Amino acid sequence: MAKHRHESGKGVKSKGGEAPRRQAADDDTHITALGLEAAPPSDAMAAYFNKCEEKLGFVPNVLKAYAFDMAKLEGFVAMYNDLMLAPSGLSKLEREMIAVAVSSVNRCYYCLVAHGAAVRGLGQDPVLGELMAMNYRAAKLSPRERAMLDFAVKLTAEPWAVEEADRAALREAGFGARDIWDIAAVAGFFNMSNRVASATDMRPNPDYHGQAR
Amino acid sequence: MAKHRHESGKGVKSKGGEAPRRQAADDDTHITALGLEAAPPSDAMAAYFNKCEEKLGFVPNVLKAYAFDMAKLEGFVAMYNDLMLAPSGLSKLEREMIAVAVSSVNRCYYCLVAHGAAVRGLGQDPVLGELMAMNYRAAKLSPRERAMLDFAVKLTAEPWAVEEADRAALREAGFGARDIWDIAAVAGFFNMSNRVASATDMRPNPDYHGQAR
Amino acid sequence: MAKHRHESGKGVKSKGGEAPRRQAADDDTHITALGLEAAPPSDAMAAYFNKCEEKLGFVPNVLKAYAFDMAKLEGFVAMYNDLMLAPSGLSKLEREMIAVAVSSVNRCYYCLVAHGAAVRGLGQDPVLGELMAMNYRAAKLSPRERAMLDFAVKLTAEPWAVEEADRAALREAGFGARDIWDIAAVAGFFNMSNRVASATDMRPNPDYHGQAR
Amino acid sequence: MAKHRHESGKGVKSKGGEAPRRQAADDDTHITALGLEAAPPSDAMAAYFNKCEEKLGFVPNVLKAYAFDMAKLEGFVAMYNDLMLAPSGLSKLEREMIAVAVSSVNRCYYCLVAHGAAVRGLGQDPVLGELMAMNYRAAKLSPRERAMLDFAVKLTAEPWAVEEADRAALREAGFGARDIWDIAAVAGFFNMSNRVASATDMRPNPDYHGQAR
Amino acid sequence: MAKHRHESGKGVKSKGGEAPRRQAADDDTHITALGLEAAPPSDAMAAYFNKCEEKLGFVPNVLKAYAFDMAKLEGFVAMYNDLMLAPSGLSKLEREMIAVAVSSVNRCYYCLVAHGAAVRGLGQDPVLGELMAMNYRAAKLSPRERAMLDFAVKLTAEPWAVEEADRAALREAGFGARDIWDIAAVAGFFNMSNRVASATDMRPNPDYHGQAR
Amino acid sequence: MAKHRHESGKGVKSKGGEAPRRQAADDDTHITALGLEAAPPSDAMAAYFNKCEEKLGFVPNVLKAYAFDMAKLEGFVAMYNDLMLAPSGLSKLEREMIAVAVSSVNRCYYCLVAHGAAVRGLGQDPVLGELMAMNYRAAKLSPRERAMLDFAVKLTAEPWAVEEADRAALREAGFGARDIWDIAAVAGFFNMSNRVASATDMRPNPDYHGQAR
């Protein structure tokens, strides 16, 4: 991403001069629309934020959004890290693919940006992230990946209609009982996060946009 | 609830003899369709299950469903207890009303049964639980309650369309920034739980049905 | 249902004192929002209301709602009794199951309360009523019951898409031509009643709530 | 309508010879797909069918469809005639406009054909029938007509969302309590009839197509 | 159509006197709601309008609507004539059937009127036009026609879900690669035209209504 | 975009070794799934393709997809260039914003990729392209831009409900009659193109992905 230009973009002359330069499209005046003040960090969370800075170069805004209350932040971090990073029959890339396909149904800007970057990076395939965000049905997927995403997307769009036949399709694609739980839990988690982000107008760190393009 | 009859109901003669007695409608052969074996309980979780038995007379099936993995169970319990029981500008009843109204959109059998009972009990009004499960718009609600549920239900049904005007409606109904977070977080949480329950065919403890009628 | 408490509930102190007691959630100030005055009863209808009082202990509010015009009341009673009580290849319980599953799609408070009670009673299974109201797909049903409800629910949600294949599925489940008519007619009838009830804010008799729990 | 051509149309050579003549699009091999045999007519119904022949030149197929059971036929006729023909604050044309607008939402072929003809005839405006069947929002309507159809169509498409504000809009357009009942009852009735017709593949009498063009 | 009556209909006394005569339902005060002034016609377009007058007796209003800008009019005419009239594996009637079935999903008054007339005329079957406009699933269609319309309607209603299996169904019904393109292109074109017409309140020429009845 | 890696990506070892490298997600084995052979280019189109190569470095795949038939290709190019490049009250960027917001509703992979790149480039704001593709409601837009996109998106999602009030909102935002036509025409055009692309599995040139990041 042309990062520098973005930062100083307001007021720049337009290309070809056809119209005055529009304002930047992202909203960098807040992390959420609620303006909740950060609580004093617990030791664990202070250490975790430091680790984020070291590894990613920044603290993901979702963590700053939860930081007004340490109990909520610690609960979120614990659940997130278990779901997305702990050992599982699903690869980390598969879990991120679910995250983005679910966020696409819910059209969640924050999660599409942050987890789209993760898919691009983990998949070593920049186009895969675009496909998950735009329409996973257009991607060239293995039968296993397709079954996994069909389940996650149906569970997102019409959870009331998920039944034994849907679980059977996962089993036929090679997923075990524990894997089915993990697919459901990751899809469920992003159905939660998408809504917290949309409800609060949570804005993604600009750093994500240019990653792994 | 006519509990005893339910337990021994299979094979009982039909009323009026017009048709052979049908099987019981609930499925008490499993807690979820996945059949995951419980892991050895951590000390904290063993104590927590004991506390449930003492206070409720049973361990809610959702906890047994997560008990195949202590990290997942502890993460779920921590987040649930913080959201539903910790101090908040929302009363416990209000949080349970959100839980049921959200679960009604998603038609989640487990959550409607378990949290419908909570609304009946906390509200000291058996009919309130029915209304939240059936159609919250038919209930006689205060403007505050109505605004809260309108937000939670829109966030569930079309999260992509929630915008500043929706937050403004909550502020006008007297909710502060922290309260808006809590409404979003509770609504988000049940959008997660509804999907984990539906994906796994989670069955509610039969004890809920007769509570606070 | 804790009936007495409900009746005198307004103003009672809240449990645990966490918040002032909310108003009762049901609206017992009217039968419908239209306030139409009852017409002088015809002999037939006077006798029918007496029979209701004897058998049920009360006159269902839907009948009182229609009582502003004897021609309309008699037409409704004739059609209702023929559909729900006359001999049919469908048992009375099956007809009530259709009524509740249809009313669940339409989220009709009146019909879910009144016919949910009927399913609980006729089915001798309190949980069956809950399942029909919440999500019939979560119930343990016979193939016959499932086919019947799949047809009725599709006919409710997308009537334009019902075709020969849907009728064939009923025939395969053992239903004859006359039975198919009856399934369609009962589903159709509640698609009518749900809308009359929702349009007029019709309130169910409180007596239903506690029946057959 | 080019009636004669329709009747003998199968096998006729195509215009311009570009393709072999297709079969006729309507299905005149049955009245419904169920093939239920007519019951011996009651005296009242025999007289009613004669009256139809005299006044319309034919017996509407919906009546023949119900004629397998005199109790059902008589119940349907009584309710229909009361709703559509008895004195009401709504004109007959207004009631037929509701019938067609509701049937358009439900895409019911039978009712669109039969009641589209009624709107064309009663309205002395052939185009009005087309507009009700295609998209009532495109018609030049009085505020009263528009309010009436907005209510009927919302009640058809999302009955759960009809509330006091919707009734208030009717009152503001000049409708009284009894009129609101009639709008709801006519809209409700066609939500029933549309579904009985779609469920049974009921076919309209061909005579309707050419009426009042 | 009773054309003369329609033209002079405003203010005529109502049939049976039950209510004052309503205004005509169509809006003949404009071609579109935008009121764009016609540009000086190019030679080609002047000739084309003359040809329309000769062959149809009138210039279709959609052409008059585009006539504010000759480049736009010529582009529209070129694409339309290629799609609907040039040689293709689809007959002209089949292309018009797609036009109407697509316009029915989008409830486009202009296109349903104009292309409904075309189906009635080309099909030599007045009822076929009604069926395409009301619900193509109710028509007696060949397997080829049904497959073609199922594809066009799915492509209209949920384009994101069209996949290889949908193309395979067309191939199985005998369509080649070029035919599939033509089905997609005609369905696509009317998804465009429907929206231009609805966005501008485009009104059909009254002449269409009575054609080929 | 890491273009070289993408091209040779199949079979590369996975990052961190957690799973075997998946296939590339895009499908570069075809331009569309139909495999139509290119027709001999007309002089005009040969020149146009050369111009594309010069200015863009490649011929957009949509043009290659239409190249099986010169009449269709020339019609498409004429309409496209008039709509997107000819003088208009809408800037080129505004027209591309409509293109992407419409394609987002329809989840069209081809158009989101190709026109997302155009928005990033013309807007000199890489994030603006992401926002249009993900959820335009999350973007910081001028009232004019927001009104324009609200109209285009409603016209895409529910064209039957667009009425005078929607046009009035555009006028209030400063758009004239000719501008309203252009908004409708661009939105309509992409409702066509999205469907042709989805129907044929059209694949975007890989070059777009890395442009203007």
Side-chain angles (χ1 to χ4, degrees):
Chain A
M1 192 181 79
K3 196 181 169 186
H4 182 70
R5 183 157 36 81
H6 177 62
E7 280 167 356
S8 61
K10 291 163 195 170
V12 169
K13 270 183 200 148
S14 80
K15 184 172 170 181
E18 73 163 12
R21 180 74 179 86
R22 59 185 304 292
Q23 62 184 347
D26 209 341
D27 190 334
D28 51 9
T29 61
H30 61 243
I31 287 172
T32 75
L34 302 184
L36 293 163
E37 206 176 340
S42 64
D43 290 352
M45 289 299 103
Y48 188 64
F49 277 32
N50 284 339
K51 199 170 129 193
C52 289
E53 287 280 9
E54 263 174 58
K55 286 187 61 171
L56 307 174
F58 60 92
V59 177
N61 279 350
V62 65
L63 301 181
K64 291 189 188 165
Y66 272 89
F68 71 94
D69 181 314
M70 284 299 119
K72 294 185 194 309
L73 176 61
E74 294 186 349
F76 178 84
V77 166
M79 189 180 277
Y80 179 86
N81 286 346
D82 174 70
L83 276 174
M84 300 304 282
L85 303 176
S88 162
L90 309 180
S91 74
K92 285 175 193 169
L93 173 58
E94 287 172 334
R95 287 177 267 179
E96 291 288 353
M97 289 168 70
I98 294 172
V100 182
V102 164
S103 302
S104 178
V105 176
N106 292 329
R107 301 187 185 279
C108 175
Y109 176 57
Y110 183 93
C111 300
L112 286 168
V113 168
H115 295 276
V119 170
R120 292 194 304 269
L122 287 169
Q124 295 179 277
D125 180 356
V127 177
L128 181 62
E130 298 301 278
L131 279 158
M132 292 301 103
M134 290 169 176
N135 188 348
Y136 79 98
R137 295 173 198 85
K140 209 167 179 173
L141 300 171
S142 67
R144 168 185 165 94
E145 288 169 335
R146 179 64 194 249
M148 175 186 85
L149 295 178
D150 280 346
F151 188 92
V153 163
K154 181 175 181 182
L155 188 62
T156 299
E158 37 174 5
W160 51 83
V162 172
E163 293 193 69
E164 185 54 26
D166 301 292
R167 286 182 290 273
L170 287 181
R171 287 191 197 99
E172 205 170 322
F175 293 101
R178 169 67 197 265
D179 302 329
I180 297 176
W181 179 278
D182 287 355
I183 294 170
V186 172
F189 182 83
F190 283 92
N191 271 288
M192 175 177 71
S193 288
N194 291 171
R195 285 174 174 84
V196 172
S198 292
T200 63
D201 193 32
M202 196 181 288
R203 314 303 301 188
N205 306 61
D207 315 64
Y208 288 121
H209 291 291
Q211 288 179 350
R213 293 287 180 190
Chain B
M1 193 183 77
K3 195 182 167 184
H4 181 70
R5 183 156 39 79
H6 177 62
E7 280 166 354
S8 61
K10 291 164 196 171
V12 170
K13 271 183 201 148
S14 80
K15 185 172 171 180
E18 73 163 14
R21 181 75 180 84
R22 59 183 304 291
Q23 63 184 346
D26 209 340
D27 190 335
D28 51 10
T29 62
H30 62 244
I31 287 173
T32 75
L34 302 184
L36 293 163
E37 205 176 340
S42 63
D43 289 353
M45 290 299 102
Y48 189 62
F49 278 33
N50 284 339
K51 199 170 129 193
C52 289
E53 288 279 9
E54 264 173 55
K55 285 187 61 171
L56 307 174
F58 59 93
V59 177
N61 279 351
V62 66
L63 301 180
K64 290 190 188 164
Y66 272 89
F68 71 93
D69 180 315
M70 283 300 119
K72 294 185 192 310
L73 176 61
E74 294 186 350
F76 178 85
V77 166
M79 188 180 278
Y80 179 88
N81 286 347
D82 174 70
L83 275 174
M84 300 304 283
L85 305 175
S88 161
L90 309 180
S91 74
K92 286 175 193 169
L93 173 59
E94 286 172 333
R95 287 177 267 179
E96 292 287 353
M97 288 168 72
I98 294 172
V100 182
V102 164
S103 302
S104 177
V105 176
N106 292 329
R107 301 188 184 279
C108 174
Y109 176 56
Y110 183 93
C111 300
L112 285 168
V113 168
H115 294 276
V119 170
R120 293 194 304 268
L122 286 169
Q124 295 178 279
D125 180 356
V127 176
L128 181 62
E130 298 301 276
L131 279 157
M132 292 301 104
M134 290 169 177
N135 188 348
Y136 79 97
R137 296 173 199 85
K140 209 169 179 172
L141 299 171
S142 67
R144 171 185 164 94
E145 289 169 336
R146 180 63 194 249
M148 176 185 84
L149 295 177
D150 280 346
F151 188 91
V153 162
K154 181 175 180 182
L155 188 61
T156 299
E158 35 174 7
W160 51 82
V162 171
E163 293 193 68
E164 185 54 27
D166 301 292
R167 286 183 290 273
L170 288 181
R171 288 192 196 98
E172 206 169 321
F175 292 102
R178 169 65 198 266
D179 302 330
I180 297 176
W181 178 279
D182 286 355
I183 294 170
V186 172
F189 183 84
F190 283 92
N191 271 287
M192 175 177 72
S193 288
N194 291 171
R195 285 174 175 85
V196 172
S198 292
T200 62
D201 193 32
M202 197 181 288
R203 315 303 303 189
N205 307 61
D207 315 65
Y208 287 120
H209 291 291
Q211 288 178 351
R213 293 287 180 189
Chain C
M1 193 182 79
K3 195 182 167 185
H4 182 71
R5 183 156 39 79
H6 178 62
E7 280 166 354
S8 60
K10 291 164 195 171
V12 170
K13 272 187 200 144
S14 80
K15 184 171 170 182
E18 73 164 13
R21 181 73 179 86
R22 59 185 304 292
Q23 63 184 345
D26 209 341
D27 190 335
D28 51 11
T29 61
H30 62 244
I31 287 172
T32 75
L34 301 184
L36 292 164
E37 204 175 340
S42 63
D43 289 353
M45 290 299 102
Y48 188 63
F49 277 34
N50 284 339
K51 200 170 127 192
C52 289
E53 288 279 10
E54 264 173 57
K55 285 187 61 171
L56 307 174
F58 60 92
V59 177
N61 279 351
V62 66
L63 301 180
K64 290 189 188 166
Y66 272 89
F68 72 93
D69 181 315
M70 283 301 119
K72 294 186 193 310
L73 176 61
E74 293 186 351
F76 177 84
V77 166
M79 189 180 277
Y80 179 87
N81 286 347
D82 174 70
L83 275 173
M84 300 304 283
L85 304 175
S88 162
L90 309 180
S91 73
K92 286 175 194 170
L93 173 58
E94 286 172 334
R95 288 178 267 179
E96 292 287 352
M97 288 168 72
I98 294 172
V100 181
V102 164
S103 302
S104 177
V105 176
N106 291 329
R107 300 187 184 278
C108 175
Y109 176 57
Y110 183 93
C111 300
L112 285 167
V113 168
H115 295 277
V119 170
R120 294 194 302 269
L122 286 170
Q124 295 179 278
D125 180 357
V127 176
L128 181 62
E130 298 301 276
L131 278 157
M132 292 301 104
M134 290 169 177
N135 188 349
Y136 79 98
R137 296 173 198 85
K140 208 168 181 172
L141 298 172
S142 66
R144 170 186 165 94
E145 289 170 334
R146 180 64 195 249
M148 176 186 83
L149 295 178
D150 280 346
F151 188 91
V153 162
K154 181 175 181 182
L155 188 61
T156 299
E158 36 173 7
W160 51 82
V162 171
E163 293 193 68
E164 186 55 27
D166 301 292
R167 287 183 290 273
L170 287 181
R171 288 192 196 98
E172 206 170 322
F175 292 102
R178 170 67 197 266
D179 303 329
I180 298 176
W181 179 279
D182 287 355
I183 294 169
V186 172
F189 182 84
F190 283 93
N191 271 287
M192 176 177 71
S193 288
N194 290 171
R195 285 174 175 85
V196 172
S198 293
T200 62
D201 193 32
M202 197 181 287
R203 313 304 302 188
N205 306 62
D207 315 65
Y208 288 121
H209 290 291
Q211 288 179 350
R213 294 288 181 189
Chain D
M1 191 183 78
K3 195 182 168 183
H4 181 70
R5 184 157 37 80
H6 178 63
E7 279 166 356
S8 61
K10 290 163 195 169
V12 170
K13 272 186 198 143
S14 81
K15 184 172 169 179
E18 73 163 12
R21 180 75 178 84
R22 59 185 304 291
Q23 62 183 348
D26 209 340
D27 190 335
D28 52 8
T29 61
H30 62 244
I31 287 172
T32 74
L34 301 184
L36 293 163
E37 206 176 339
S42 63
D43 288 352
M45 289 299 102
Y48 188 64
F49 277 33
N50 283 339
K51 199 170 129 192
C52 289
E53 287 280 8
E54 264 172 57
K55 286 187 61 171
L56 307 174
F58 59 92
V59 177
N61 279 351
V62 65
L63 301 180
K64 291 189 188 165
Y66 273 89
F68 72 93
D69 180 313
M70 283 301 119
K72 294 186 193 309
L73 177 60
E74 293 186 350
F76 178 84
V77 166
M79 189 180 278
Y80 179 87
N81 286 346
D82 174 70
L83 276 174
M84 300 304 281
L85 305 176
S88 162
L90 309 180
S91 73
K92 286 175 195 170
L93 174 57
E94 286 172 334
R95 288 177 266 180
E96 291 287 353
M97 288 168 70
I98 295 172
V100 182
V102 164
S103 302
S104 177
V105 177
N106 292 329
R107 301 187 186 278
C108 175
Y109 176 57
Y110 183 93
C111 300
L112 285 168
V113 169
H115 295 277
V119 170
R120 292 193 303 269
L122 287 169
Q124 295 179 277
D125 180 357
V127 176
L128 181 62
E130 299 300 278
L131 279 157
M132 293 301 103
M134 290 168 177
N135 188 349
Y136 80 98
R137 296 173 198 86
K140 209 167 178 172
L141 299 172
S142 66
R144 170 185 164 94
E145 288 169 336
R146 180 64 195 249
M148 175 186 85
L149 295 178
D150 280 347
F151 188 91
V153 163
K154 181 175 181 182
L155 188 60
T156 298
E158 37 173 7
W160 51 82
V162 172
E163 292 193 70
E164 186 54 27
D166 301 292
R167 286 182 291 273
L170 287 181
R171 287 191 196 98
E172 206 170 321
F175 294 101
R178 169 67 197 265
D179 302 330
I180 298 176
W181 179 278
D182 287 355
I183 294 170
V186 173
F189 182 83
F190 283 92
N191 271 288
M192 175 177 72
S193 288
N194 291 171
R195 286 175 173 84
V196 173
S198 292
T200 63
D201 193 31
M202 197 181 288
R203 315 302 301 189
N205 306 61
D207 314 65
Y208 288 120
H209 291 291
Q211 287 179 350
R213 291 288 179 189
Chain E
M1 193 182 79
K3 196 183 167 185
H4 182 70
R5 183 156 39 78
H6 177 61
E7 280 166 355
S8 61
K10 289 165 195 170
V12 170
K13 271 182 200 150
S14 80
K15 186 172 170 180
E18 72 165 14
R21 180 73 179 87
R22 59 184 304 290
Q23 61 183 348
D26 209 340
D27 189 335
D28 50 10
T29 62
H30 62 244
I31 287 172
T32 75
L34 302 184
L36 293 164
E37 206 176 338
S42 63
D43 290 352
M45 289 299 102
Y48 188 63
F49 277 34
N50 285 339
K51 200 170 127 191
C52 289
E53 288 280 9
E54 264 172 57
K55 286 186 61 169
L56 307 173
F58 60 92
V59 177
N61 280 350
V62 66
L63 301 181
K64 290 189 188 165
Y66 273 88
F68 71 94
D69 181 315
M70 283 300 119
K72 294 185 193 310
L73 177 61
E74 293 185 352
F76 178 85
V77 166
M79 189 179 277
Y80 179 88
N81 286 346
D82 174 71
L83 275 173
M84 300 303 282
L85 304 175
S88 162
L90 309 180
S91 73
K92 286 175 194 169
L93 173 58
E94 287 172 334
R95 287 177 266 179
E96 292 288 352
M97 289 167 71
I98 294 172
V100 182
V102 164
S103 302
S104 177
V105 177
N106 291 330
R107 301 187 185 278
C108 175
Y109 176 57
Y110 183 93
C111 300
L112 286 167
V113 169
H115 294 276
V119 169
R120 293 195 304 269
L122 287 169
Q124 294 179 278
D125 180 356
V127 176
L128 181 62
E130 299 300 278
L131 279 157
M132 291 303 102
M134 290 168 176
N135 188 348
Y136 80 98
R137 297 174 198 84
K140 208 168 178 171
L141 298 171
S142 66
R144 170 186 165 93
E145 289 169 334
R146 180 64 195 251
M148 176 186 83
L149 295 177
D150 280 346
F151 188 92
V153 163
K154 181 175 180 182
L155 188 61
T156 299
E158 36 173 7
W160 51 82
V162 171
E163 293 194 68
E164 185 55 27
D166 301 291
R167 286 182 291 273
L170 288 181
R171 288 192 196 98
E172 206 169 323
F175 293 101
R178 168 68 198 264
D179 302 329
I180 297 176
W181 178 278
D182 286 355
I183 295 169
V186 173
F189 182 84
F190 283 92
N191 272 288
M192 175 177 71
S193 288
N194 291 170
R195 285 174 174 85
V196 173
S198 292
T200 63
D201 193 31
M202 196 180 289
R203 314 303 301 188
N205 307 61
D207 316 66
Y208 287 120
H209 291 291
Q211 288 179 349
R213 293 288 181 190
Chain F
M1 192 182 81
K3 196 183 168 184
H4 181 71
R5 182 156 39 78
H6 177 61
E7 280 166 356
S8 61
K10 291 165 196 169
V12 170
K13 270 184 201 147
S14 79
K15 186 172 170 180
E18 74 164 13
R21 181 73 179 85
R22 59 184 304 291
Q23 61 183 348
D26 208 340
D27 190 335
D28 51 10
T29 61
H30 62 245
I31 286 171
T32 75
L34 301 184
L36 293 164
E37 205 176 339
S42 63
D43 289 353
M45 290 299 102
Y48 189 63
F49 277 35
N50 284 339
K51 200 171 128 192
C52 289
E53 288 280 9
E54 265 172 56
K55 286 186 62 171
L56 307 174
F58 59 92
V59 177
N61 280 350
V62 66
L63 301 181
K64 291 189 188 165
Y66 273 88
F68 71 94
D69 181 314
M70 283 300 120
K72 294 185 193 310
L73 177 60
E74 293 186 351
F76 178 84
V77 166
M79 189 180 276
Y80 179 87
N81 286 346
D82 174 69
L83 276 173
M84 300 304 282
L85 304 175
S88 163
L90 309 180
S91 73
K92 286 175 194 171
L93 173 58
E94 287 172 333
R95 287 177 268 179
E96 291 288 352
M97 288 168 72
I98 295 172
V100 182
V102 164
S103 302
S104 177
V105 176
N106 292 329
R107 301 188 184 279
C108 175
Y109 176 58
Y110 183 94
C111 301
L112 286 167
V113 168
H115 294 277
V119 170
R120 292 194 304 269
L122 286 169
Q124 296 180 277
D125 180 357
V127 176
L128 181 62
E130 299 300 278
L131 279 157
M132 291 302 102
M134 290 168 176
N135 188 348
Y136 80 99
R137 296 174 198 84
K140 208 168 179 171
L141 299 172
S142 67
R144 170 185 163 94
E145 289 170 335
R146 179 63 195 250
M148 176 186 83
L149 295 177
D150 280 346
F151 188 91
V153 162
K154 182 175 180 182
L155 188 60
T156 298
E158 36 173 9
W160 52 81
V162 171
E163 293 193 68
E164 186 54 27
D166 301 292
R167 286 182 291 272
L170 287 181
R171 288 192 197 98
E172 206 170 322
F175 294 101
R178 169 67 198 263
D179 303 330
I180 298 176
W181 178 279
D182 287 355
I183 294 170
V186 173
F189 182 83
F190 283 92
N191 271 287
M192 176 178 71
S193 288
N194 292 170
R195 284 175 176 85
V196 173
S198 292
T200 63
D201 193 31
M202 196 181 288
R203 314 303 302 189
N205 307 62
D207 315 66
Y208 287 121
H209 291 291
Q211 288 179 349
R213 294 287 180 191

